[in-house]
């Protein structure tokens, strides 16, 4: 047994220190980045944010986010037919829609079937709860052998040697880093395992960027889990993350697929047909009243609920490392994206960085008592 005495940090443990700046307006900030990859020969340009491959991330979300050049990792339960129909109808979204798979032979077979149907290789998100296992590196390598052109993001890990291994031997371009930080994740409670997310970003970005292939293309990471607000996303980017993956942040927005709650408009009408009074209530007495969304419920992808919904059977040997979250309706996803991008732009201004790419170079973090970074939960009102 060994104890690491250095304190590992989460987003709430730090603030980004404002710096002198020569920028004159937030509109000057370049949010897009262009990446070359360690393995994939593709070049990718866009805003380095991803919607997590959770149950609410389906085609409508991908269509909306692609308009902002943001990536959507589709949940892994789409059929080959649904996926091929989508890519044939929206060929321009190939860069911004990643197809997710888990660690099952049939997952890889479906992906190969999709490739054959489409005549091209989709970008891929390989997602397992614990990516530290040797067999997982071999599995990623197998996927890479079938998909030499695809951009492959894979994880999750927090251990730096696993990040190196996935890039060097697993054929992975972007390593998804984060264990236990997700909004619907109970891993830390159930297993006691995990690493605070800011430290996970700092340490894994450092080792990934230290890896260069022959053509001088670097390993990349994506911070995944626990970004509660735009400030946390900025902190992850400042800590060196190349991409940031968001689940809960996009939940409850207009294109989310899943369990919605509604309220219904009830009216009392006067004899002259004018409205006497009206109110919204959670049940609909007439079954055909005007309705509006109020709440959205999503489930961690490894909850028994998700397994029951999508898999043939619950794996008895596996505990549910996830929970159910209900959030208020947030409106169209565009609104949430604008708030997010506005926050990143402002952060760049505060630290004097003219682009997302340079954020980490301009960053000085100061450690704070958590109360300072948690002060204002009513962002975006
Ligand atoms: P969020 O942005 O919601 O804080 O985190 C999203 C991430 O949580 C996902 O990308 C995924 O890595 C993780 N996640 C989603 N569902 C579960 C789950 O059921 N259990 C665990 N341990 N992690 C989950």
């Amino acid at each position: 047994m060994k104890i690491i005495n250095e304190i590992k940090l989460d987003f709430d443990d730090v603030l980004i220190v404002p710096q002198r700046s020569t920028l004159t307006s937030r509109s000057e900030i370049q949010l897009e980045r262009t990446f070359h990859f360690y393995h994939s020969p593709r070049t990718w340009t866009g805003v380095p944010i991803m919607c997590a491959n959770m149950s609410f991330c389906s085609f409508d979300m991908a269509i909306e986010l692609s308009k902002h050049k943001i990536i959507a990792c589709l949940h892994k339960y789409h059929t080959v037919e649904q996926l091929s129909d989508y890519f044939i109808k929206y060929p321009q979204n190939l860069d911004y829609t990643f197809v997710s798979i888990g660690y099952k032979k049939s997952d890889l077979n479906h992906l190969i079937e999709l490739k054959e149907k489409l005549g091209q290789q989709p970008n891929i998100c390989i997602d397992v709860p614990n990516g530290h296992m040797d067999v997982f590196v071999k599995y990623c390598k197998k996927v890479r052998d079938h998909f030499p052109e695809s951009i492959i993001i894979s994880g999750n890990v927090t251990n730096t040697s696993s990040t190196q291994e996935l890039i060097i031997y697993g054929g992975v371009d972007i390593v998804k880093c984060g264990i236990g930080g997700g909004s619907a994740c109970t891993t830390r409670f159930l297993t006691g395992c995990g690493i605070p997310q800011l430290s996970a970003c700092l340490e894994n970005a450092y080792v990934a960027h230290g890896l260069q292939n022959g053509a001088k293309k670097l390993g990349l990471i994506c911070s995944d889990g626990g970004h509660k607000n735009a400030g946390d996303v900025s902190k992850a980017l400042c800590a060196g993350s190349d991409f940031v993956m968001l689940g809960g942040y996009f939940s409850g927005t207009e294109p989310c697929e899943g369990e919605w709650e509604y309220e219904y408009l009830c009216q009392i009408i006067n004899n002259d047909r004018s409205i006497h009074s009206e109110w919204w209530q959670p049940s609909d007495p007439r079954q055909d009243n005007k309705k509006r969304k109020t709440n959205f419920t999503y489930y961690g992808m490894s909850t028994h609920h998700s397994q029951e919904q999508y898999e043939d059977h619950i794996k008895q040997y596996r505990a549910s490392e996830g929970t159910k979250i209900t959030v208020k309706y947030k409106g169209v996803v565009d609104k949430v994206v604008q708030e997010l991008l506005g926050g990143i732009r402002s952060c760049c201004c505060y630290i004097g960085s003219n682009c997302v790419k340079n954020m980490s170079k301009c960053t000085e973090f100061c450690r704070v008592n958590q109360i300072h970074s948690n002060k204002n939960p009513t962002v975006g009102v």
Side-chain angles (χ1 to χ4, degrees), residues 50-54 56 127-129 155-156 176-188 223-228 245-251 298-304 306 320-323 325:
M50 302 187 178
C51 180
N53 50 309
M54 294 177 74
F56 51 80
D127 185 36
V128 296
N156 280 26
K176 211 148 69 86
C177 294
I179 299 281
S183 57
C185 164
T186 55
T187 298
R188 292 180 187 171
S223 174
D224 177 26
H227 311 84
K228 304 173 296 303
M245 180 174 270
L246 302 173
Y249 194 84
F250 287 128
S251 67
Y298 65 100
Y299 296 80
M301 292 308 280
S302 65
T303 51
H304 287 160
S306 297
S320 169
E321 281 180 37
T323 188
I325 306 270

Side-chain angles (χ1 to χ4, degrees), residues 279-326:
W279 67 95
W280 293 89
Q281 67 176 47
S283 59
D284 184 4
R286 281 184 23 195
Q287 307 281 307
D288 61 350
N289 284 7
K290 195 175 154 193
K291 64 179 184 178
R292 67 182 183 192
K293 289 172 172 159
T294 52
N295 293 320
F296 179 74
T297 297
Y298 65 100
Y299 296 80
M301 292 308 280
S302 65
T303 51
H304 287 160
H305 177 275
S306 297
Q307 283 180 34
E308 256 168 5
Q309 198 169 7
Y310 298 111
E311 316 250 349
D312 311 335
H313 62 285
I314 294 175
K315 295 181 180 121
Q316 295 302 342
Y317 61 89
R318 256 172 39 181
S320 169
E321 281 180 37
T323 188
K324 155 181 156 174
I325 306 270
T326 300

